[in-house]
Amino acid sequence: MILKTFGWSFGVTAIGLAAAFYFWGWEGFAVVAILSVLEISLSFDNAVVNAGVLKKMNAFWQRIFLTIGILIAVFGMRLVFPVAIVSVTAGIGPIDAVQLALDNPDQYQEMVTDAHPSIAAFGGMFLLMIFLNFIFEERDVHWLGRLERPLAKLGRIDSFSVGVALAALLLTASTVATHAYQHGGTYSDESSTVLLAGLAGVLTYLVVGGLSGFFENKLEEDEERAEAEVEEAKAAGQQPTVVGLAGRAAFFLFLYLEVLDASFSFDGVIGAFAITNHIFWMALGLGIGAMYVRSLTIYLVREGTLDEYRYLEHGAHYAIGALATMLLVSIRWHLPEVVTGGVGVALIGLSFWSSVRANRADAATRRGGGDDGDGGGVDSGKSAIPSGV
């Protein structure tokens, strides 16, 4: 199972490290390996959240996300994105930006550093919206019940999460962003830039997340009627109309996942500049890490891990909230990559251990005959995913 799921990642790792050694020697090999580990440590929560969304999609769209989606993740965010930043901020063409990265990597890194406030504001607000909508939502299973239950009640207020997010953005723009870090250890007032980029992040979440949620909810509401319509259409030799609806729902879920992955990529791309400003080393290292995120997502869906370990998704969303906060804080203060990656891993690790303890308690209760085996809403069945992906 491990080889089948992680085989492509192992293969890409071998090819990437071999290419790094062939073209740049041991130095390139070491840097690419370090960047790969960095990306994996920073993106574990990304895989958990991806799996939670991916298991709702049909086989076709799962393959789209795991094939075309990974191309966007590897080449789009890890190679094109840093170049696009410089191209936009410097007002030069993409080819000139690549040439600048090759000929003058220090200046290239300076331009990316100066663009960090807007990047962090957009990604931070998008991720913050994901966390707030999770924490303010009514749910049957609670990890930190004393905190989550009262917050879920507050979530009954219309647009409460949006209000909290905008308040956080205003606070960030009026305090942290007034002394945004720039290259060379200087600071500048980036309040307006952060405000606009943060609003764009919130708006992107509302549009993409809202559309995907709308179609997803509509599918759930019409599920029983849709099944009858499908049977009637098949009997008449016609294409079921529900397929088109499912396609729209999955399409917007796909867009949501891509924007989500992009937001998670920001800290990895920016953090990579603390190690190297060589764009091809960055692309190789972060690309290898992204492949492992893909494989881990497949593993979580195939094994039904989110159902078996009930608090794992909670831990991932708390990690998202922590990452969103750290992105906003990083506008002014540099945070070591070990902190941004370590906090997320620690939260997910705690949620996993809590899930294990809860499962053991359920098993002990069942052995004592005091429970019907429901396990607090945990479904031990495995989720389906195309085995050929």
Side-chain angles (χ1 to χ4, degrees):
M1 177 63 186
I2 296 297
L3 183 60
K4 182 178 182 180
T5 304
F6 290 87
W8 279 101
S9 297
F10 294 153
V12 170
T13 301
I15 295 173
L17 292 177
F21 178 76
Y22 179 80
F23 289 106
W24 301 291
W26 285 112
E27 181 183 5
F29 179 92
V31 172
V32 169
I34 292 172
L35 288 173
S36 302
V37 175
L38 171 69
E39 178 69 7
I40 295 170
S41 65
L42 291 175
S43 301
F44 187 83
D45 47 355
N46 188 7
V48 176
V49 177
N50 282 352
V53 179
L54 191 65
K55 67 180 182 179
K56 303 174 185 178
M57 302 168 73
N58 60 29
F60 171 77
W61 281 101
Q62 286 179 350
R63 289 193 180 94
I64 291 294
F65 174 73
L66 297 173
T67 52
I68 297 177
I70 196 62
L71 292 176
I72 296 174
V74 173
F75 296 104
M77 288 306 302
R78 275 71 179 183
L79 179 60
V80 177
F81 174 65
V83 172
I85 293 174
V86 174
S87 179
V88 173
T89 56
I92 60 179
I95 297 178
D96 294 330
V98 172
Q99 195 66 40
L100 177 65
L102 296 175
D103 297 340
N104 195 342
D106 292 333
Q107 184 181 356
Y108 174 81
Q109 180 178 350
E110 290 175 0
M111 291 181 175
V112 175
T113 301
D114 290 346
H116 176 67
S118 58
I119 299 169
F122 179 91
M125 293 309 300
F126 185 87
L127 294 176
L128 183 61
M129 285 296 301
I130 294 173
F131 168 71
L132 293 176
N133 275 284
F134 178 86
I135 202 67
F136 289 135
E137 182 182 358
E138 292 279 1
R139 59 188 69 255
D140 296 329
V141 178
H142 295 95
W143 180 30
L144 306 177
R146 294 182 180 180
L147 173 66
E148 294 172 6
R149 289 189 184 93
L151 289 178
K153 293 179 180 179
L154 289 175
R156 298 172 185 172
I157 303 174
D158 289 342
S159 303
F160 188 76
S161 60
V162 177
V164 173
L166 292 178
L169 177 59
L170 286 174
L171 180 64
T172 302
S174 60
T175 56
V176 177
T178 56
H179 292 80
Y181 180 81
Q182 304 286 278
H183 73 274
T186 61
Y187 295 86
S188 65
D189 187 350
E190 300 289 338
S191 300
S192 59
T193 299
V194 167
L195 190 60
L196 289 174
L199 287 174
V202 174
L203 181 61
T204 301
Y205 175 85
L206 293 176
V207 173
V208 179
L211 286 173
S212 63
F214 169 77
F215 285 111
E216 182 184 352
N217 291 335
K218 187 168 181 58
L219 280 175
E220 293 176 356
E221 294 171 358
D222 297 343
E223 185 176 7
E224 293 184 1
R225 185 185 63 183
E227 290 177 357
E229 291 177 353
V230 167
E231 294 301 325
E232 292 177 3
K234 286 182 178 179
Q238 300 175 352
Q239 183 73 12
T241 57
V242 71
V243 173
L245 181 61
R248 290 197 298 272
F251 173 72
F252 284 107
L253 282 175
F254 172 76
L255 291 182
Y256 175 74
L257 279 173
E258 289 304 310
V259 178
L260 177 64
D261 181 75
S263 298
F264 272 105
S265 302
F266 291 153
D267 64 323
V269 172
I270 298 301
F273 279 102
I275 299 173
T276 181
N277 51 20
H278 194 297
I279 60 171
F280 294 120
W281 292 0
M282 288 176 58
L284 278 175
L286 298 181
I288 290 172
M291 286 297 299
Y292 281 96
V293 174
R294 167 193 181 272
S295 297
L296 185 58
T297 300
I298 298 172
Y299 180 83
L300 293 174
V301 176
R302 283 179 177 169
E303 293 298 299
T305 306
L306 299 185
D307 295 325
E308 183 177 357
Y309 300 101
R310 67 192 78 177
Y311 303 132
L312 197 58
E313 196 167 3
H314 291 72
H317 279 86
Y318 279 109
I320 287 175
L323 177 57
T325 302
M326 288 186 287
L327 276 173
L328 297 177
V329 169
S330 70
I331 293 173
R332 181 170 180 175
W333 296 284
H334 171 71
L335 299 176
E337 286 66 39
V338 67
V339 174
T340 56
V343 170
V345 171
L347 287 169
I348 293 175
L350 287 173
S351 66
F352 175 80
W353 175 240
S354 297
S355 301
V356 171
R357 292 182 59 189
N359 289 343
R360 289 175 179 173
D362 287 346
T365 303
R366 287 193 295 270
R367 285 194 299 268
D371 190 85
D372 62 0
D374 178 67
V378 177
D379 180 7
S380 60
K382 297 182 179 181
S383 301
I385 192 171
S387 59
V389 177

